[in-house]
Amino acid sequence: MRKLLAVALLAAFAVPASAATLGLNFVGGLDATNSGDLDHGQSITVEVTWTTTDANDGSPGMIAMAFNLTSSVQDGAAGLQTPDSGLSIANVAATPANWNSGGVETTLGGGAQFAVFASPADAITAPGTSVLGTFDVVVEPGAALGLHQFYIQRNAAAFSPDPVNSVGASYSFNLGGDGYSGQFNIGNGFAGKNNGSDAIPMNINVTPEPAALALLALGGVAVLRRRS
């Protein structure tokens, strides 16, 4: 009798593995490398995707998603993130019909937030990949040349991508790394496990355009001529 009870309890708590994933992709075919080359003043659009593989992940449905963006990998002891003053976000927009957008358009790591939401009637319940919304990453005039990275900020001690402002309907972030009904993982833009390992950064390489490099070269030639 005890063996039968134990088996019954195990069956009751067994949850079939599935996968719900929140992720970021660059629009325009750059998601394969997670990188983009931009000059000062230029911007690139990022789409926020929500992927489910079966009906279990689709119930009760995705109705809202919000998260802050950070320029640092996960560090449970870091507290507030050091912002990247060279990058900011703009033009936060919701993609599904009848959804609204919110968030904060400011410096990455300095409070920048993506937020979209809908009414229960417009919740996403069908399996597959949906684009929840988009935002632009803008390279500020004073951005340092070279590699800049950003991630979805999450709280190492809570079931959430972000310490305060995230909500995914009744979904919670899965710290274990395996997706189950009602939980989700983070793909592109993952800030890493609690120790920062396995992070999947979104990369932007700030580099002058050829025309700007040509002007710099001409300026250098002019300086050399004056010296000679």
Side-chain angles (χ1 to χ4, degrees):
M1 186 66 180
R2 289 181 178 177
K3 288 183 179 180
L4 289 175
L5 180 60
V7 171
L9 287 173
L10 286 174
F13 285 103
V15 180
S18 53
T21 304
L22 174 70
L24 305 177
N25 290 312
F26 287 120
V27 173
L30 294 173
D31 54 311
T33 57
N34 267 4
S35 64
D37 294 334
L38 298 176
D39 194 2
H40 297 91
Q42 292 184 329
S43 64
I44 189 169
T45 300
V46 177
E47 62 181 15
V48 180
T49 59
W50 174 251
T51 302
T52 60
T53 57
D54 58 38
N56 288 331
D57 286 318
S59 177
M62 169 56 63
I63 190 174
M65 176 56 70
F67 52 80
N68 282 14
L69 291 151
T70 176
S71 55
S72 303
V73 297
Q74 180 66 30
D75 183 352
L80 295 175
Q81 302 293 314
T82 301
D84 184 344
S85 59
L87 300 179
S88 62
I89 71 168
N91 302 322
V92 176
T95 298
N98 301 321
W99 280 48
N100 299 297
S101 61
V104 180
E105 299 180 353
T106 187
T107 305
L108 275 170
Q113 182 192 83
F114 170 86
V116 293
F117 55 94
S119 68
D122 298 311
I124 297 173
T125 57
T129 297
S130 300
V131 178
L132 299 181
T134 59
F135 60 90
D136 292 341
V137 177
V138 182
V139 178
E140 298 295 332
L145 296 179
L147 184 65
H148 295 249
Q149 298 180 317
F150 63 94
Y151 312 83
I152 295 172
Q153 183 176 343
R154 72 174 183 83
N155 183 359
F159 291 136
S160 149
D162 177 81
V164 177
N165 298 311
S166 290
V167 57
S170 63
Y171 292 95
S172 58
F173 176 69
N174 180 24
L175 292 176
D178 295 319
Y180 294 96
S181 178
Q183 297 181 326
F184 65 90
N185 305 313
I186 299 174
N188 291 346
F190 179 48
K193 297 177 181 177
N194 291 356
N195 60 4
S197 64
D198 296 331
I200 309 175
M202 299 294 289
N203 301 310
I204 288 181
N205 186 39
V206 179
T207 177
E209 288 185 329
L213 289 174
L215 287 174
L216 288 173
L218 288 173
V221 170
V223 170
L224 289 174
R225 285 180 175 176
R226 288 178 181 178
R227 289 181 177 177
S228 60

